[in-house]
PDB file of all heavy atoms in Angstrom:
ATOM      1  N   ASP A 101      80.066  86.273  87.313  1.00  0.00           N
ATOM      2  CA  ASP A 101      80.388  85.309  86.249  1.00  0.00           C
ATOM      3  C   ASP A 101      81.796  85.532  85.731  1.00  0.00           C
ATOM      4  O   ASP A 101      82.579  84.584  85.564  1.00  0.00           O
ATOM      5  CB  ASP A 101      79.385  85.434  85.096  1.00  0.00           C
ATOM      6  CG  ASP A 101      78.023  84.868  85.455  1.00  0.00           C
ATOM      7  OD1 ASP A 101      77.946  84.121  86.459  1.00  0.00           O
ATOM      8  OD2 ASP A 101      77.036  85.160  84.743  1.00  0.00           O
ATOM      9  N   TYR A 102      82.144  86.801  85.474  1.00  0.00           N
ATOM     10  CA  TYR A 102      83.473  87.088  84.930  1.00  0.00           C
ATOM     11  C   TYR A 102      84.568  86.890  85.978  1.00  0.00           C
ATOM     12  O   TYR A 102      85.714  86.588  85.639  1.00  0.00           O
ATOM     13  CB  TYR A 102      83.509  88.512  84.373  1.00  0.00           C
ATOM     14  CG  TYR A 102      82.638  88.685  83.139  1.00  0.00           C
ATOM     15  CD1 TYR A 102      81.878  89.829  82.951  1.00  0.00           C
ATOM     16  CD2 TYR A 102      82.566  87.683  82.171  1.00  0.00           C
ATOM     17  CE1 TYR A 102      81.070  89.986  81.831  1.00  0.00           C
ATOM     18  CE2 TYR A 102      81.775  87.825  81.047  1.00  0.00           C
ATOM     19  CZ  TYR A 102      81.015  88.971  80.885  1.00  0.00           C
ATOM     20  OH  TYR A 102      80.231  89.105  79.773  1.00  0.00           O
ATOM     21  N   LYS A 103      84.200  87.068  87.250  1.00  0.00           N
ATOM     22  CA  LYS A 103      85.163  86.792  88.309  1.00  0.00           C
ATOM     23  C   LYS A 103      85.473  85.303  88.365  1.00  0.00           C
ATOM     24  O   LYS A 103      86.629  84.894  88.515  1.00  0.00           O
ATOM     25  CB  LYS A 103      84.613  87.269  89.658  1.00  0.00           C
ATOM     26  CG  LYS A 103      85.567  87.033  90.821  1.00  0.00           C
ATOM     27  CD  LYS A 103      84.953  87.464  92.138  1.00  0.00           C
ATOM     28  CE  LYS A 103      85.906  87.158  93.299  1.00  0.00           C
ATOM     29  NZ  LYS A 103      85.309  87.520  94.602  1.00  0.00           N
ATOM     30  N   LYS A 104      84.435  84.459  88.211  1.00  0.00           N
ATOM     31  CA  LYS A 104      84.644  83.005  88.205  1.00  0.00           C
ATOM     32  C   LYS A 104      85.498  82.583  87.015  1.00  0.00           C
ATOM     33  O   LYS A 104      86.287  81.645  87.106  1.00  0.00           O
ATOM     34  CB  LYS A 104      83.297  82.286  88.165  1.00  0.00           C
ATOM     35  CG  LYS A 104      82.520  82.359  89.469  1.00  0.00           C
ATOM     36  CD  LYS A 104      81.184  81.637  89.350  1.00  0.00           C
ATOM     37  CE  LYS A 104      80.390  81.744  90.664  1.00  0.00           C
ATOM     38  NZ  LYS A 104      79.050  81.105  90.545  1.00  0.00           N
ATOM     39  N   ARG A 105      85.340  83.298  85.896  1.00  0.00           N
ATOM     40  CA  ARG A 105      86.137  82.980  84.704  1.00  0.00           C
ATOM     41  C   ARG A 105      87.543  83.571  84.790  1.00  0.00           C
ATOM     42  O   ARG A 105      88.350  83.403  83.884  1.00  0.00           O
ATOM     43  CB  ARG A 105      85.442  83.514  83.459  1.00  0.00           C
ATOM     44  CG  ARG A 105      84.184  82.741  83.069  1.00  0.00           C
ATOM     45  CD  ARG A 105      83.584  83.276  81.781  1.00  0.00           C
ATOM     46  NE  ARG A 105      84.496  83.102  80.653  1.00  0.00           N
ATOM     47  CZ  ARG A 105      84.199  83.432  79.390  1.00  0.00           C
ATOM     48  NH1 ARG A 105      83.012  83.948  79.108  1.00  0.00           N
ATOM     49  NH2 ARG A 105      85.076  83.255  78.418  1.00  0.00           N
ATOM     50  N   LYS A 106      87.817  84.301  85.908  1.00  0.00           N
ATOM     51  CA  LYS A 106      89.125  84.912  86.149  1.00  0.00           C
ATOM     52  C   LYS A 106      89.485  85.941  85.083  1.00  0.00           C
ATOM     53  O   LYS A 106      90.643  86.102  84.685  1.00  0.00           O
ATOM     54  CB  LYS A 106      90.220  83.845  86.244  1.00  0.00           C
ATOM     55  CG  LYS A 106      90.012  82.890  87.401  1.00  0.00           C
ATOM     56  CD  LYS A 106      91.128  81.875  87.516  1.00  0.00           C
ATOM     57  CE  LYS A 106      90.886  80.948  88.707  1.00  0.00           C
ATOM     58  NZ  LYS A 106      91.932  79.934  88.851  1.00  0.00           N
ATOM     59  N   LEU A 107      88.434  86.649  84.594  1.00  0.00           N
ATOM     60  CA  LEU A 107      88.646  87.731  83.638  1.00  0.00           C
ATOM     61  C   LEU A 107      88.739  89.074  84.346  1.00  0.00           C
ATOM     62  O   LEU A 107      89.337  90.017  83.819  1.00  0.00           O
ATOM     63  CB  LEU A 107      87.501  87.752  82.618  1.00  0.00           C
ATOM     64  CG  LEU A 107      87.349  86.488  81.762  1.00  0.00           C
ATOM     65  CD1 LEU A 107      86.148  86.620  80.835  1.00  0.00           C
ATOM     66  CD2 LEU A 107      88.613  86.205  80.962  1.00  0.00           C
ATOM     67  N   ILE A 108      88.117  89.181  85.528  1.00  0.00           N
ATOM     68  CA  ILE A 108      88.213  90.404  86.326  1.00  0.00           C
ATOM     69  C   ILE A 108      88.527  90.032  87.766  1.00  0.00           C
ATOM     70  O   ILE A 108      88.320  88.879  88.176  1.00  0.00           O
ATOM     71  CB  ILE A 108      86.916  91.241  86.265  1.00  0.00           C
ATOM     72  CG1 ILE A 108      85.739  90.457  86.854  1.00  0.00           C
ATOM     73  CG2 ILE A 108      86.623  91.695  84.850  1.00  0.00           C
ATOM     74  CD1 ILE A 108      84.459  91.259  86.967  1.00  0.00           C
ATOM     75  N   GLN A 109      88.991  90.979  88.521  1.00  0.00           N
ATOM     76  CA  GLN A 109      89.301  90.754  89.923  1.00  0.00           C
ATOM     77  C   GLN A 109      89.033  92.026  90.724  1.00  0.00           C
ATOM     78  O   GLN A 109      89.133  93.135  90.188  1.00  0.00           O
ATOM     79  CB  GLN A 109      90.764  90.332  90.106  1.00  0.00           C
ATOM     80  CG  GLN A 109      91.765  91.360  89.626  1.00  0.00           C
ATOM     81  CD  GLN A 109      93.176  90.836  89.642  1.00  0.00           C
ATOM     82  OE1 GLN A 109      93.442  89.731  90.089  1.00  0.00           O
ATOM     83  NE2 GLN A 109      94.123  91.649  89.144  1.00  0.00           N
ATOM     84  N   GLU A 110      88.642  91.821  91.986  1.00  0.00           N
ATOM     85  CA  GLU A 110      88.397  92.953  92.859  1.00  0.00           C
ATOM     86  C   GLU A 110      89.702  93.364  93.525  1.00  0.00           C
ATOM     87  O   GLU A 110      90.424  92.525  94.061  1.00  0.00           O
ATOM     88  CB  GLU A 110      87.347  92.604  93.920  1.00  0.00           C
ATOM     89  CG  GLU A 110      86.894  93.789  94.728  1.00  0.00           C
ATOM     90  CD  GLU A 110      85.810  93.446  95.736  1.00  0.00           C
ATOM     91  OE1 GLU A 110      85.694  92.254  96.099  1.00  0.00           O
ATOM     92  OE2 GLU A 110      85.083  94.358  96.152  1.00  0.00           O
ATOM     93  N   VAL A 111      89.996  94.642  93.481  1.00  0.00           N
ATOM     94  CA  VAL A 111      91.242  95.164  94.035  1.00  0.00           C
ATOM     95  C   VAL A 111      90.906  96.156  95.139  1.00  0.00           C
ATOM     96  O   VAL A 111      90.010  96.993  94.987  1.00  0.00           O
ATOM     97  CB  VAL A 111      92.079  95.864  92.940  1.00  0.00           C
ATOM     98  CG1 VAL A 111      93.353  96.452  93.533  1.00  0.00           C
ATOM     99  CG2 VAL A 111      92.410  94.893  91.827  1.00  0.00           C
ATOM    100  N   VAL A 112      91.594  96.032  96.267  1.00  0.00           N
ATOM    101  CA  VAL A 112      91.425  96.957  97.380  1.00  0.00           C
ATOM    102  C   VAL A 112      92.538  98.000  97.308  1.00  0.00           C
ATOM    103  O   VAL A 112      93.723  97.653  97.303  1.00  0.00           O
ATOM    104  CB  VAL A 112      91.469  96.217  98.727  1.00  0.00           C
ATOM    105  CG1 VAL A 112      91.352  97.210  99.877  1.00  0.00           C
ATOM    106  CG2 VAL A 112      90.358  95.181  98.810  1.00  0.00           C
ATOM    107  N   VAL A 113      92.141  99.256  97.189  1.00  0.00           N
ATOM    108  CA  VAL A 113      93.109 100.351  97.096  1.00  0.00           C
ATOM    109  C   VAL A 113      93.054 101.158  98.396  1.00  0.00           C
ATOM    110  O   VAL A 113      91.988 101.635  98.793  1.00  0.00           O
ATOM    111  CB  VAL A 113      92.793 101.269  95.898  1.00  0.00           C
ATOM    112  CG1 VAL A 113      93.812 102.403  95.820  1.00  0.00           C
ATOM    113  CG2 VAL A 113      92.771 100.467  94.609  1.00  0.00           C
ATOM    114  N   LYS A 114      94.203 101.300  99.056  1.00  0.00           N
ATOM    115  CA  LYS A 114      94.286 102.094 100.270  1.00  0.00           C
ATOM    116  C   LYS A 114      95.130 103.340  99.995  1.00  0.00           C
ATOM    117  O   LYS A 114      96.233 103.219  99.443  1.00  0.00           O
ATOM    118  CB  LYS A 114      94.906 101.273 101.409  1.00  0.00           C
ATOM    119  CG  LYS A 114      94.049 100.093 101.842  1.00  0.00           C
ATOM    120  CD  LYS A 114      94.681  99.354 103.001  1.00  0.00           C
ATOM    121  CE  LYS A 114      93.799  98.204 103.454  1.00  0.00           C
ATOM    122  NZ  LYS A 114      94.372  97.468 104.597  1.00  0.00           N
ATOM    123  N   PHE A 115      94.608 104.501 100.361  1.00  0.00           N
ATOM    124  CA  PHE A 115      95.357 105.734 100.142  1.00  0.00           C
ATOM    125  C   PHE A 115      95.035 106.724 101.256  1.00  0.00           C
ATOM    126  O   PHE A 115      94.183 106.467 102.118  1.00  0.00           O
ATOM    127  CB  PHE A 115      95.057 106.337  98.765  1.00  0.00           C
ATOM    128  CG  PHE A 115      93.603 106.649  98.530  1.00  0.00           C
ATOM    129  CD1 PHE A 115      93.064 107.873  98.881  1.00  0.00           C
ATOM    130  CD2 PHE A 115      92.780 105.704  97.929  1.00  0.00           C
ATOM    131  CE1 PHE A 115      91.739 108.163  98.651  1.00  0.00           C
ATOM    132  CE2 PHE A 115      91.442 105.979  97.684  1.00  0.00           C
ATOM    133  CZ  PHE A 115      90.917 107.212  98.063  1.00  0.00           C
ATOM    134  N   VAL A 116      95.731 107.860 101.216  1.00  0.00           N
ATOM    135  CA  VAL A 116      95.570 108.902 102.234  1.00  0.00           C
ATOM    136  C   VAL A 116      94.999 110.150 101.574  1.00  0.00           C
ATOM    137  O   VAL A 116      95.520 110.613 100.551  1.00  0.00           O
ATOM    138  CB  VAL A 116      96.917 109.222 102.910  1.00  0.00           C
ATOM    139  CG1 VAL A 116      96.747 110.353 103.928  1.00  0.00           C
ATOM    140  CG2 VAL A 116      97.483 107.980 103.579  1.00  0.00           C
ATOM    141  N   GLN A 117      93.931 110.669 102.149  1.00  0.00           N
ATOM    142  CA  GLN A 117      93.344 111.931 101.691  1.00  0.00           C
ATOM    143  C   GLN A 117      93.964 113.081 102.494  1.00  0.00           C
ATOM    144  O   GLN A 117      93.971 113.057 103.728  1.00  0.00           O
ATOM    145  CB  GLN A 117      91.831 111.902 101.882  1.00  0.00           C
ATOM    146  CG  GLN A 117      91.097 113.092 101.321  1.00  0.00           C
ATOM    147  CD  GLN A 117      91.051 113.099  99.795  1.00  0.00           C
ATOM    148  OE1 GLN A 117      91.109 112.044  99.175  1.00  0.00           O
ATOM    149  NE2 GLN A 117      90.986 114.290  99.205  1.00  0.00           N
ATOM    150  N   LEU A 118      94.497 114.111 101.808  1.00  0.00           N
ATOM    151  CA  LEU A 118      95.178 115.218 102.466  1.00  0.00           C
ATOM    152  C   LEU A 118      94.375 116.500 102.309  1.00  0.00           C
ATOM    153  O   LEU A 118      93.799 116.764 101.244  1.00  0.00           O
ATOM    154  CB  LEU A 118      96.567 115.460 101.872  1.00  0.00           C
ATOM    155  CG  LEU A 118      97.689 114.471 102.160  1.00  0.00           C
ATOM    156  CD1 LEU A 118      97.587 113.277 101.240  1.00  0.00           C
ATOM    157  CD2 LEU A 118      99.040 115.147 101.952  1.00  0.00           C
ATOM    158  N   GLU A 119      94.383 117.311 103.352  1.00  0.00           N
ATOM    159  CA  GLU A 119      93.827 118.657 103.312  1.00  0.00           C
ATOM    160  C   GLU A 119      94.740 119.585 104.117  1.00  0.00           C
ATOM    161  O   GLU A 119      95.589 119.115 104.886  1.00  0.00           O
ATOM    162  CB  GLU A 119      92.405 118.680 103.888  1.00  0.00           C
ATOM    163  CG  GLU A 119      91.401 117.900 103.076  1.00  0.00           C
ATOM    164  CD  GLU A 119      90.001 117.962 103.669  1.00  0.00           C
ATOM    165  OE1 GLU A 119      89.815 118.646 104.706  1.00  0.00           O
ATOM    166  OE2 GLU A 119      89.095 117.312 103.113  1.00  0.00           O
ATOM    167  N   LYS A 120      94.529 120.894 103.960  1.00  0.00           N
ATOM    168  CA  LYS A 120      95.308 121.865 104.733  1.00  0.00           C
ATOM    169  C   LYS A 120      94.927 121.777 106.207  1.00  0.00           C
ATOM    170  O   LYS A 120      93.757 121.635 106.546  1.00  0.00           O
ATOM    171  CB  LYS A 120      95.039 123.278 104.234  1.00  0.00           C
ATOM    172  CG  LYS A 120      95.535 123.551 102.828  1.00  0.00           C
ATOM    173  CD  LYS A 120      95.195 124.986 102.430  1.00  0.00           C
ATOM    174  CE  LYS A 120      95.670 125.283 101.018  1.00  0.00           C
ATOM    175  NZ  LYS A 120      95.318 126.677 100.615  1.00  0.00           N
ATOM    176  N   GLY A 121      95.950 121.864 107.071  1.00  0.00           N
ATOM    177  CA  GLY A 121      95.703 121.873 108.501  1.00  0.00           C
ATOM    178  C   GLY A 121      95.555 123.278 109.041  1.00  0.00           C
ATOM    179  O   GLY A 121      95.768 124.268 108.311  1.00  0.00           O
ATOM    180  N   PRO A 122      95.219 123.423 110.344  1.00  0.00           N
ATOM    181  CA  PRO A 122      95.054 124.753 110.956  1.00  0.00           C
ATOM    182  C   PRO A 122      96.301 125.618 110.848  1.00  0.00           C
ATOM    183  O   PRO A 122      96.201 126.840 110.732  1.00  0.00           O
ATOM    184  CB  PRO A 122      94.728 124.436 112.421  1.00  0.00           C
ATOM    185  CG  PRO A 122      94.193 123.031 112.398  1.00  0.00           C
ATOM    186  CD  PRO A 122      94.903 122.346 111.283  1.00  0.00           C
ATOM    187  N   ASN A 123      97.480 124.991 110.906  1.00  0.00           N
ATOM    188  CA  ASN A 123      98.744 125.751 110.860  1.00  0.00           C
ATOM    189  C   ASN A 123      99.457 125.565 109.521  1.00  0.00           C
ATOM    190  O   ASN A 123     100.677 125.494 109.451  1.00  0.00           O
ATOM    191  CB  ASN A 123      99.664 125.328 112.001  1.00  0.00           C
ATOM    192  CG  ASN A 123      99.043 125.581 113.359  1.00  0.00           C
ATOM    193  OD1 ASN A 123      98.289 126.547 113.531  1.00  0.00           O
ATOM    194  ND2 ASN A 123      99.360 124.736 114.320  1.00  0.00           N
ATOM    195  N   PHE A 124      98.667 125.476 108.460  1.00  0.00           N
ATOM    196  CA  PHE A 124      99.266 125.189 107.141  1.00  0.00           C
ATOM    197  C   PHE A 124     100.187 126.312 106.689  1.00  0.00           C
ATOM    198  O   PHE A 124      99.876 127.505 106.841  1.00  0.00           O
ATOM    199  CB  PHE A 124      98.163 124.977 106.099  1.00  0.00           C
ATOM    200  CG  PHE A 124      98.697 124.699 104.726  1.00  0.00           C
ATOM    201  CD1 PHE A 124      99.136 123.423 104.398  1.00  0.00           C
ATOM    202  CD2 PHE A 124      98.800 125.708 103.779  1.00  0.00           C
ATOM    203  CE1 PHE A 124      99.643 123.168 103.126  1.00  0.00           C
ATOM    204  CE2 PHE A 124      99.310 125.451 102.523  1.00  0.00           C
ATOM    205  CZ  PHE A 124      99.733 124.180 102.195  1.00  0.00           C
ATOM    206  N   THR A 125     101.319 125.945 106.141  1.00  0.00           N
ATOM    207  CA  THR A 125     102.259 126.867 105.522  1.00  0.00           C
ATOM    208  C   THR A 125     103.099 126.090 104.524  1.00  0.00           C
ATOM    209  O   THR A 125     103.259 124.867 104.646  1.00  0.00           O
ATOM    210  CB  THR A 125     103.182 127.528 106.562  1.00  0.00           C
ATOM    211  OG1 THR A 125     104.109 128.391 105.869  1.00  0.00           O
ATOM    212  CG2 THR A 125     103.949 126.505 107.365  1.00  0.00           C
ATOM    213  N   THR A 126     103.595 126.755 103.535  1.00  0.00           N
ATOM    214  CA  THR A 126     104.440 126.086 102.540  1.00  0.00           C
ATOM    215  C   THR A 126     105.910 126.115 102.921  1.00  0.00           C
ATOM    216  O   THR A 126     106.736 125.471 102.292  1.00  0.00           O
ATOM    217  CB  THR A 126     104.268 126.740 101.159  1.00  0.00           C
ATOM    218  OG1 THR A 126     104.570 128.132 101.264  1.00  0.00           O
ATOM    219  CG2 THR A 126     102.856 126.543 100.641  1.00  0.00           C
ATOM    220  N   LYS A 127     106.235 126.904 103.948  1.00  0.00           N
ATOM    221  CA  LYS A 127     107.622 126.969 104.414  1.00  0.00           C
ATOM    222  C   LYS A 127     107.739 126.233 105.739  1.00  0.00           C
ATOM    223  O   LYS A 127     107.202 126.668 106.750  1.00  0.00           O
ATOM    224  CB  LYS A 127     108.074 128.418 104.567  1.00  0.00           C
ATOM    225  CG  LYS A 127     108.111 129.176 103.248  1.00  0.00           C
ATOM    226  CD  LYS A 127     108.618 130.592 103.444  1.00  0.00           C
ATOM    227  CE  LYS A 127     108.688 131.321 102.101  1.00  0.00           C
ATOM    228  NZ  LYS A 127     109.179 132.716 102.255  1.00  0.00           N
TER     229      LYS A 127
END
C-alpha cells in the first residue's frame, strides 16, 4: 500500500564481503 502511495521504495544494495585469505598479511 505504501509503495503504491510512493511513500517507500525497495532498494537493491550490492556490496562485497571481505575476509582474510590464506596468504593474508598487512604488509
Side-chain angles (χ1 to χ4, degrees):
D101 287 344
Y102 292 140
K103 181 183 177 182
K104 288 179 181 177
R105 288 183 63 177
K106 298 182 179 179
L107 299 178
I108 62 174
Q109 61 188 355
E110 189 178 22
V111 178
V112 178
V113 180
K114 295 182 178 181
F115 58 89
V116 178
Q117 186 72 27
L118 288 81
E119 295 181 2
K120 293 179 181 179
N123 299 327
F124 179 80
T125 178
T126 57
K127 295 182 178 180

